[in-house]
Amino acid sequence: TEAHVAARVGGAKAKLARLSYWASELNKDNWGWRVINGTCGGGAPFHLGVGSKRQCEELSVAVDMSTAVVSLRGWRLTVKGNHIYDRTSTSGPHHRLDLSFASEGGAARRDLPHGVIGQSFASPAPRYGKVDDYTE
């Protein structure tokens, strides 16, 4: 189970920030030292785990036990790792990821969110959002 974030940061610099949360890196006590890996603007890859944080221009990420909070321009994504309870099989993942999104201040009005999740913040009407290009 995985969650991935890709964002352009740094204004005119247009750096590409990438983060990946890997539920498979959580241990039996539901935390890990390397649950997130990422890059900032093509720089050296980094890893984050319990009690760590990282800033990439205006994007920030902080990890507290199994919860990671990613903040960018008034938007907040929270990723919580948790056990899969009542497993009937010994195969398959042992952890799941629960995601929540929140806008702060006037972010939903200011940034005209797009995509499947962003649409729910701006208007109850149907939206046909733009497609981002994340190639380097």
Side-chain angles (χ1 to χ4, degrees):
T1 305
E2 309 158 7
H4 305 281
V5 173
R8 292 277 179 199
V9 296
K13 293 184 270 185
K15 289 182 179 181
L16 181 59
R18 294 181 183 184
L19 302 170
S20 295
Y21 188 122
W22 303 90
S24 60
E25 293 295 321
L26 295 167
N27 63 25
K28 65 179 179 60
D29 296 317
N30 208 42
W31 63 272
W33 293 115
R34 297 168 62 103
V35 295
I36 291 180
N37 62 18
T39 59
C40 177
F46 59 86
H47 299 277
L48 300 173
V50 64
S52 60
K53 56 185 166 183
R54 182 80 175 217
Q55 187 82 30
C56 177
E57 300 291 338
E58 65 272 25
L59 182 143
S60 67
V61 59
V63 181
D64 179 22
M65 296 304 281
S66 65
T67 300
V69 177
V70 180
S71 298
L72 176 65
R73 294 189 290 268
W75 291 96
R76 186 176 61 248
L77 164 65
T78 303
V79 183
K80 292 183 178 185
N82 206 346
H83 295 283
I84 296 176
Y85 297 101
D86 299 325
R87 290 173 47 95
T88 57
S89 169
T90 57
S91 64
H94 293 273
H95 292 87
R96 69 174 195 262
L97 296 179
D98 300 329
L99 294 102
S100 64
F101 296 84
S103 65
E104 299 168 342
R109 289 181 304 279
R110 182 178 62 249
D111 290 336
L112 296 176
H114 58 280
V116 173
I117 295 169
Q119 293 173 13
S120 65
F121 284 93
S123 169
R127 292 207 169 230
Y128 304 98
K130 71 177 187 175
V131 176
D132 293 334
D133 180 11
Y134 292 111
T135 58
E136 290 191 12

